[in-house]
Amino acid sequence: MPRALIKGLTALLAAVAVPLAVCVLLLPARGALSETNVVLILMLVVAAVAALGNRGAAVLTALSAAAWFVFFFTTPFASFTYIDNTEEAITAGLLLVAGLVVSQLARRYSRERSIATTLQRSLLPRVLPDTNAVRAAYRYVPAEAEVGGDWFDLIPLPGFRTALVVGDVVGHGLNSAVTMGRLRTAVQNFSTLDLPPDELLARLDDVVHQMDAEAGGAGEYGTVAATCLYAIYDPVSCSCTMARAGHFPPALVYPDGRVEVVDLPECPPLGIGGLRFEAVERKLPQDTQLVFYTDGLIEDRHRDIGTGLTLLCKALSGAGSDPEETCETILETVLPDHPVDDAALLIARTRVFPRDRIAEWDIPASPAAVPALRAEVSAKLADWGLGEAAFATELMLSELVTNAIRYGAPPVHLRLLRETNLVMEISDGSSTTPHLRYAAAMDEGGRGIFLVAQFAERWGTRFTPTGKIVWAEQAAPSVPVVPVLASMA
């Protein structure tokens, strides 16, 4: 017999048997209980069955409760053929109507919760991407009552860097889940601009203001309230830049087991506006664990935030170095038994980029230095076993370095990073940004960046406190040069 049919028959049998069992239990106290008390007890039974979400079982429970009430507590046995009291008929009818209404409300609530839960889970990442910067693990625990707006993300960035994000939309229900999805999408889009954490949070704050305007929000704080923590870890420099908007600061677990809650500037939540977000940069040793979390993990109606943070730090001090094991330890020791708010946890263990896969050159501010630089880069690619990539690399190198010397400002620096891809980074002291142009047939210039875009899988610009970095990424160990040249002929 199919499992679904067995489950359905069991539910229907229980719908008939449960009200009967309650009536039998109440029968010895029939003289002490009024009909109103019995009706209220049976209505609670109907509501409990309706809360399970099975509409058919809920309706049958209401019918069964009405029938057993008439049979046992009005005119026994004769009630099925004759009712001689109008009040008895009205009471039984009210019990039936109340049960049907409760079952319909329970069905609607269950349906809305199912939609919100499905939407929220579809908006959260199912699998974290594997990056060269960190080894990550995550856990998400929904609230027992309603879904919330907690989210997390791990975003690969150019130069083998990784962005780590965790956020929380205030409130519960379908609207919070939708708002969470919009904010997560906005963070992913802004991350493609390679913005530092404080600037990204400022743009995310503008998005929240726009959402308030769309919703017609009025008042000092608007209708949308959210917090966010954004960090970028660079495995080459072993630095982590972090900024937060009303969110809890991250915790660091060092390789020796020492735990530290980072002292980040306490900036306002998203949507307040008018205030500046501040970023902090920290140097992290290899195998340091970055712990990001939301308030549902540490806060509970039975304990304050300080107690929750103390429990978290104690759990982290005794956890191992594996992010998966650390997640399990935290959930077992810190998460409330009956969470009233959803909780998100993201843990990343830092890695260090191998030094033998990094090559750097300081470039004199003279175009005459480019030929010698090309020869040195070709020799380095040969040492790495990337001789097939030499032609495309030299072409992009010539264009980008010449642009940095001609239009940028000293110092000019070149860095090559070899991993699954080959990344070229040219930095200078100017904020002038190169842009892609499509030169006409008779134009003498404007083809340099176009050639870079053709040979590179990706390219772009990111700004630094001292200038900018123009980067280009190509596949390793080989680059398909011939098809690109053929398309340009």
Side-chain angles (χ1 to χ4, degrees):
M1 185 178 294
R3 181 178 299 179
L5 180 58
I6 296 176
K7 184 177 179 181
L9 292 176
T10 303
L12 294 179
L13 180 61
V16 176
V18 170
L20 173 61
V22 172
C23 289
V24 171
L25 291 175
L26 294 177
L27 197 57
R30 178 181 176 184
L33 293 174
S34 66
E35 292 182 357
T36 303
N37 292 333
V38 175
V39 168
L40 291 176
I41 294 173
L42 291 175
M43 286 179 63
L44 291 177
V45 173
V46 174
V49 175
L52 299 178
N54 190 319
R55 185 183 183 186
V59 173
L60 187 57
T61 302
L63 292 172
S64 175
W68 293 125
F69 169 77
V70 172
F71 183 81
F72 284 105
F73 294 94
T74 57
T75 309
F77 301 104
S79 298
F80 285 106
T81 60
Y82 176 71
I83 297 179
D84 59 354
N85 191 328
T86 305
E87 293 182 359
E88 295 174 1
I90 293 176
T91 302
L94 289 177
L95 178 61
L96 175 60
V97 171
L100 294 175
V101 171
V102 170
S103 66
Q104 183 65 21
L105 293 177
R107 177 176 177 271
R108 180 176 298 179
Y109 171 78
S110 300
R111 182 172 179 271
E112 291 181 355
R113 174 174 170 79
S114 176
I115 293 174
T117 303
T118 303
L119 175 64
Q120 185 191 45
R121 291 191 178 277
S122 66
L123 294 174
L124 291 174
R126 297 179 181 271
V127 179
L128 295 180
D130 187 20
T131 69
N132 301 91
V134 296
R135 179 186 176 190
Y138 73 93
R139 294 292 187 275
Y140 172 77
V141 181
E144 290 188 348
E146 290 186 278
V147 297
D150 291 12
W151 91 91
F152 59 92
D153 218 337
L154 190 145
I155 307 171
L157 298 177
F160 302 108
R161 296 168 302 132
T162 297
L164 302 130
V165 194
V166 67
D168 183 9
V169 177
V170 178
H172 297 85
L174 190 60
N175 289 335
S176 296
V178 172
T179 302
M180 175 270 291
R182 295 180 65 180
L183 292 181
R184 180 175 176 243
T185 302
V187 170
Q188 290 178 329
N189 291 336
F190 290 145
S191 67
T192 61
L193 302 177
D194 218 341
L195 300 173
D198 52 340
E199 292 186 22
L200 185 140
L201 290 180
R203 299 207 180 191
L204 196 61
D205 185 64
D206 293 337
V207 171
V208 174
H209 277 291
Q210 183 180 356
M211 294 169 64
D212 276 334
E214 293 174 355
E220 183 179 359
Y221 301 110
T223 59
V224 179
T227 65
C228 185
L229 171 63
Y230 187 85
I232 297 177
Y233 175 69
D234 186 350
V236 179
S237 62
C238 298
S239 63
C240 184
T241 307
M242 301 165 278
R244 62 171 174 154
H247 204 84
F248 291 103
L252 300 178
V253 184
Y254 292 98
D256 58 3
R258 182 168 52 92
V259 179
E260 175 191 358
V261 178
V262 182
D263 185 17
L264 283 182
E266 190 173 353
C267 300
L270 299 171
I272 301 298
L275 298 176
R276 177 175 173 268
F277 298 100
E278 299 182 42
V280 171
E281 182 176 348
R282 297 286 296 272
K283 295 288 186 179
L284 302 180
Q286 185 176 2
D287 295 330
T288 299
Q289 293 191 80
L290 288 156
V291 182
F292 297 77
Y293 52 92
T294 57
D295 57 350
L297 179 67
I298 62 174
E299 190 176 8
D300 187 35
R301 64 181 64 178
H302 302 297
R303 71 184 184 203
D304 56 18
I305 297 176
T307 303
L309 281 174
T310 301
L311 288 175
L312 177 63
C313 293
K314 183 178 180 181
L316 290 174
S317 63
S321 59
D322 181 67
E324 291 286 347
E325 295 178 358
T326 304
C327 285
E328 290 297 328
T329 300
I330 292 177
L331 291 187
E332 292 174 0
T333 58
V334 181
L335 184 70
D337 295 332
H338 303 283
V340 296
D341 192 9
D342 51 343
L345 176 64
L346 176 63
I347 299 179
R349 180 182 175 185
T350 61
R351 295 170 174 169
V352 176
F353 199 86
R355 298 302 163 186
D356 59 346
R357 299 182 182 180
I358 303 174
E360 299 183 89
W361 291 268
D362 290 321
I363 305 172
S366 171
V370 176
L373 179 64
R374 285 201 304 264
E376 294 181 19
V377 168
S378 296
K380 189 62 180 179
L381 293 179
D383 291 341
W384 283 345
L386 302 179
E388 297 181 13
F391 177 82
T393 303
E394 289 183 21
L395 187 148
M396 292 188 291
L397 174 70
S398 299
E399 296 295 339
L400 296 179
V401 171
T402 302
N403 284 347
I405 294 173
R406 181 176 300 176
Y407 304 110
V412 181
H413 186 79
L414 167 65
R415 183 169 69 179
L416 293 180
L417 305 174
R418 180 201 181 247
E419 218 353 292
T420 53
N421 290 335
L422 177 64
V423 177
M424 176 194 311
E425 298 180 342
I426 295 92
S427 62
D428 68 84
S430 170
S431 58
T432 303
T433 306
H435 62 278
L436 181 63
R437 291 176 54 190
Y438 295 94
M442 302 303 294
D443 289 347
E444 295 183 0
R447 295 181 175 84
I449 299 300
F450 177 77
L451 290 174
V452 173
Q454 293 296 311
F455 282 98
E457 288 190 344
R458 298 189 303 164
W459 74 280
T461 304
R462 71 174 180 266
F463 295 97
T464 65
T466 59
K468 69 174 182 297
I469 297 176
V470 182
W471 57 271
E473 182 178 309
Q474 53 185 319
S478 62
V479 177
V481 176
V482 176
V484 174
L485 292 179
S487 65
M488 296 172 56

